[in-house]
Amino acid sequence: MKQKQFEHAHAAFWQQLEQSLADKKNTEENFPAMYRQLCQHFALARQRGYSPALTDYLHKLVHEGHLQLYGVAVDRPMVLHRWLLQTMPQRVREEWRLMLLAIVAFFGIGLGVFLLVWFQPHWAYSFAEPHQLMKFQQMYQPDNIKIGRGGSEGDVAMFGFYIWNNVSIDFRTFAAGIFAGVPSLISLASNGMHFGVIAAWLSLDDSTRETFWSFVITHSSFEVAGLLLAAVAGMRLGFSLLSPGRMTRRHALMAASQRMFPVLVGAAMLTVIAAFFEGFWSASTSISAQTKYVVGGIGWLIVIAYFVFAGRGRNDAA
Amino acid sequence: MQDGRLSLTTPEGVRLALTPAGPAPRAAAWLIDLLIWMVFIWICLWIFGGSKLGSGLIGLILFVSYWGYPVLFEVYFSGRTPGKRVMKLAVVRADGLPVGWRESVLRNLLLVADFLPFMYATGLLCMLADQHFRRIGDIVAGTQVIYFDKPPVRKPLREVEPVPSPIPLTPEQQRTLLGLFEREAQLPPERLQELASIAEPLTGETGAVSLEKLRGIAAGLSR
């Protein structure tokens, strides 16, 4: 069949298809059948060597039809709910070895540095600049902790800062993990080290001990958990590249990122929760230190219980 | 893959060709997006700056816009941020379908890894090494940046007396011949005649005479 005849025979049909593609909602009922017909026309036109203008035009129509037919996002109700209550804790438990490594990297180094500075205070200067230590000491003076922020508006300011800063640290810890997981570990270790040296330094001083610990205790459970999760997800990416198992490296990397995505979402959410506590509650002077310790302790219990027990015995694919 | 295109076979068995975009237009698109974001932040600083409440808001806006800007545009505007729209690029999944939240978030978070050690050096190296110009984020998320071609404008050929071809032509040769006359308006006459002279084995002539013969054959092919 000559191209002219071919075009003449089907032009009306292509027009109709073009219209239903332009229509965003696409009310055409037998669109799949029409699309298959179009694909046949396209294959025929190409096989018969019709002009580039015609085949390009049909190619364009086929591409749009392909998007229209297969590009519809599948409705997944309650996906976030299931991620948070089942998938995320399950995945974290599956990665318990990496989690252990992350905990050792953060708390191990943190505790090590803490003890070192506690018994040999001059070591603090090896980990932090003297003016930094001075600044922290001033920040956590009982009279200063609220005044410097300027009431509830200051709380909002700190909240915004914590969100921007802390969640961004999580994201960077995750993404850099692709380089064999090392940058994630370094991020954990350096955060642990900073925490250790500042905690020890401020605990040595009677005036700042209580303000520091009562400030840190509440939000630390969520914030540290968020950082640990981001690091675990990042290390998983890096290790999947190092030892891809039976898959190609590319596929191993893609599979790992798909598996770790809910964990990453969880890390971001935990850190946002932490920023709420850190901004609006931790620095409040109208709440007694005892209350903060109790709430903080409950926070840690909730986080630990969540990762140990949530989603056990349920196995829905996500 | 001989023309640098990425060929996808759809479930209907036809092949879709997508053109992967290289580092230069993507860098330009990134720069445009960066400028837009910086202007936006500058306006926010100008409106909210100064007060403590405002600086909290700015922190929130920084966070949402910095991490959310590319993701929101890619998910809701069929893979195109404003910069990509200007450069006629789009992000699609490896199977040619629009990106979802997961793909978009992963590929944009991994920009951090592509940035290392400085100025997207890793991303550039990865793009140059990869067959389809994918950076690390694209490989992890299973995405691909392609040129989003405009629909071709179809122009009718000039009407002449159709002539049968002296020898059977392959589909590829037919496409070449028809393509020549579809691009006729964009080529100077001398160049057209020069090209027609190459077809001497087919027409037995050179120059303008050959061109007219070819025109007849092309007309014969298209009806």
Side-chain angles (χ1 to χ4, degrees), chain A residues 54-81:
Chain A
L54 178 65
T55 46
D56 287 353
Y57 168 72
L58 292 178
H59 179 268
K60 166 84 184 161
L61 275 187
V62 169
H63 191 190
E64 280 182 8
H66 180 69
L67 292 182
Q68 180 90 260
L69 194 59
Y70 298 103
V72 184
V74 186
D75 218 11
R76 296 191 297 173
M78 314 259 289
V79 66
L80 197 62
H81 178 261

Side-chain angles (χ1 to χ4, degrees), chain B:
Chain B
M1 259 301 291
Q2 49 178 316
D3 56 355
R5 292 187 130 195
L6 175 71
S7 182
L8 298 170
T9 306
T10 76
E12 288 75 21
V14 294
R15 284 220 298 273
L16 283 175
L18 305 174
T19 318
R26 292 177 61 176
W30 172 82
L31 201 65
I32 294 169
D33 284 331
L34 180 72
L35 284 176
I36 293 173
W37 181 74
M38 275 163 54
V39 168
F40 171 75
I41 290 302
W42 183 76
I43 292 171
C44 287
L45 281 175
W46 185 64
I47 295 174
F48 298 115
S51 74
K52 292 217 159 190
L53 192 67
S55 74
L57 274 174
I58 287 169
L60 266 178
I61 291 168
L62 259 178
F63 173 69
V64 172
S65 63
Y66 181 82
W67 296 103
Y69 171 92
V71 176
L72 290 174
F73 275 108
E74 283 174 12
V75 172
Y76 286 113
F77 295 89
S78 45
R80 271 170 283 180
T81 60
K84 290 199 181 73
R85 191 173 291 272
V86 171
M87 299 307 295
K88 297 197 171 56
L89 305 177
V91 183
V92 293
R93 273 173 14 196
D95 56 6
L97 296 176
V99 290
W101 287 100
R102 193 197 316 239
E103 291 90 21
S104 187
V105 167
L106 281 174
R107 77 183 291 281
N108 286 302
L109 280 188
L110 264 295
L111 266 176
V112 173
D114 281 307
F115 183 82
L116 295 171
F118 55 85
M119 280 318 288
Y120 295 100
T122 304
L124 182 66
L125 278 180
C126 187
M127 267 195 237
L128 294 179
D130 187 85
Q131 204 178 0
H132 306 311
F133 302 126
R134 282 173 293 197
R135 59 175 177 82
I136 290 179
D138 286 321
I139 293 171
V140 169
T143 56
Q144 170 80 60
V145 177
I146 57 163
Y147 284 102
F148 200 87
D149 299 321
K150 282 224 161 159
V153 183
R154 304 186 61 213
K155 271 178 288 184
L157 300 179
R158 200 191 300 168
E159 295 288 334
V160 289
E161 191 61 32
V163 182
S165 171
I167 52 168
L169 297 175
T170 66
E172 227 11 75
Q173 287 166 333
Q174 292 186 38
R175 270 179 69 89
T176 311
L177 193 53
L178 289 164
L180 175 68
F181 289 102
E182 274 167 359
R183 292 185 299 124
E184 194 177 13
Q186 302 156 29
L187 295 169
E190 296 80 14
R191 178 68 182 147
L192 273 173
Q193 287 173 22
E194 194 185 338
L195 286 169
S197 301
I198 299 172
E200 201 189 339
L202 183 65
T203 56
E205 309 277 354
T206 54
V209 191
S210 179
L211 184 67
E212 285 319 301
K213 269 204 165 175
L214 281 181
R215 193 188 299 284
I217 295 172
L221 288 175
S222 65
R223 70 193 64 189

